[in-house]
Structures are given as C-alpha cells and as structure tokens.
Amino acid sequence: MLHLVLHQPEIPPNTGNLMRLAANTGVQLHLIHPLGFYLRDKDLQRAGLDYHEWARVQEHADWSAFRTALPSARVWAFTTKAQRLYTDATFADGD
C-alpha cells in the first residue's frame, strides 16, 4: 500500500480532495499536525464528499511521530521545482 502524507496542511478543500482520492485508491492518508483547520470543517467535508468514512486517515502529532509510525517508509517529496518528474520515479509498496 502507498501512503499519502500531508505535512501541516492548511487548506481544508485540498485535504478533502485528497481524502476522497485516498478512499477511492486505497492509499492511507497521513495528516501531520498542526492542521490549519478542524477535521470537522465544513469545507473539508464538502470537498471530501463524505468519503471520509471510507478513507483510511491517520493523524500524527508531528514529523517525528509520523517517522516513528512508518520508520522504513521511503519518503518522496513533490514540488513544482523538482528536476525529476514524478512519472520517472519507481514507487514501491510502503512508500
């Protein structure tokens, strides 16, 4: 299984959209605190379209707690400034 991680997310609709993606693809969503919103935020729920019931979401107090929970997971960071395309990466189970 792949893991999708949001480090200190601030925008509820974006998080809700990724929650919906996680529910539909079977990946686990990890939210690393602090969050810029409450998980019961109406914008989050609207964007998630009630998929939060089927999404596997795990919260972590901070980055260290996340790494403790998944110590051997490879971490991939995505940015528009990258020199390598995400489509060129070879993802493995547990990433």
Side-chain angles (χ1 to χ4, degrees):
M1 167 193 348
L2 292 176
H3 299 271
L4 178 60
V5 181
L6 295 178
H7 184 258
Q8 301 178 355
E10 297 181 356
I11 304 170
N14 289 353
T15 303
N17 289 333
L18 291 173
M19 190 177 290
R20 186 174 65 233
L21 175 70
N24 285 303
T25 59
V27 302
Q28 183 165 358
L29 177 61
H30 298 267
L31 301 176
I32 300 175
H33 285 255
L35 308 181
F37 51 86
Y38 295 105
L39 284 179
R40 297 193 186 279
D41 188 298
K42 65 179 180 180
D43 293 330
L44 172 74
Q45 292 178 351
R46 184 179 305 119
L49 298 174
D50 295 328
Y51 280 83
H52 59 276
E53 297 174 25
W54 294 285
R56 295 177 55 196
V57 180
Q58 185 174 357
E59 296 179 61
H60 304 276
D62 53 31
W63 179 258
S64 178
F66 165 71
R67 291 305 295 161
T68 298
L70 284 99
S72 62
R74 294 189 310 166
V75 175
W76 297 83
F78 295 89
T79 174
T80 58
K81 311 288 188 264
Q83 295 179 4
R84 182 176 175 191
L85 295 174
Y86 73 93
T87 54
D88 293 336
T90 303
F91 299 105
D93 190 34
D95 283 355

